[in-house]
């Protein structure tokens, strides 16, 4: 039983670490401006971290690039970014 509980609590600490590092990445880089512009473009618009930056956070490596994915069309992305300058 102790081994099982250790796995659960270790996993929880990892999820907290990952969540906090994604928050830090957003707050400490210009990504926050992109997130704000795209997430506020419409009621359904979304943007997410993907790829190498997520993998590097999980592996506790330095993030040196940021990849994002969104459900917006390229023209909508341009419009959203222009509106937020």
């Amino acid at each position: 039983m102790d081994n099982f509980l250790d796995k659960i609590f270790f996993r929880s600490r990892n999820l907290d670490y990952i969540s906090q590092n994604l928050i830090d990445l957003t707050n400490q880089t210009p990504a926050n401006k992109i997130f704000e512009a795209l997430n506020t473009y419409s009621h359904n618009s979304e943007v997410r971290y993907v790829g190498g930056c997520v993998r590097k956070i999980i592996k506790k490596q330095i993030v040196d690039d940021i990849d994002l994915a969104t459900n917006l069309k390229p023209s909508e992305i341009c419009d959203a970014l222009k509106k937020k300058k």
Side-chain angles (χ1 to χ4, degrees), residues 23-35 49 63 66:
I23 291 167
D24 292 345
L25 186 62
T26 303
N27 293 333
Q28 296 172 3
T29 67
N32 64 343
K33 294 178 183 179
I34 296 170
F35 270 81
Y49 289 108
V63 176
I66 297 173

Side-chain angles (χ1 to χ4, degrees), residues 4-31:
F4 176 72
L5 293 174
D6 287 343
K7 287 182 181 181
I8 291 173
F9 289 114
F10 181 71
R11 177 187 238 186
S12 175
R13 285 192 306 267
N14 278 340
L15 291 175
D16 290 344
Y17 172 83
I18 293 166
S19 296
Q20 187 57 53
N21 276 272
L22 287 172
I23 291 167
D24 292 345
L25 186 62
T26 303
N27 293 333
Q28 296 172 3
T29 67

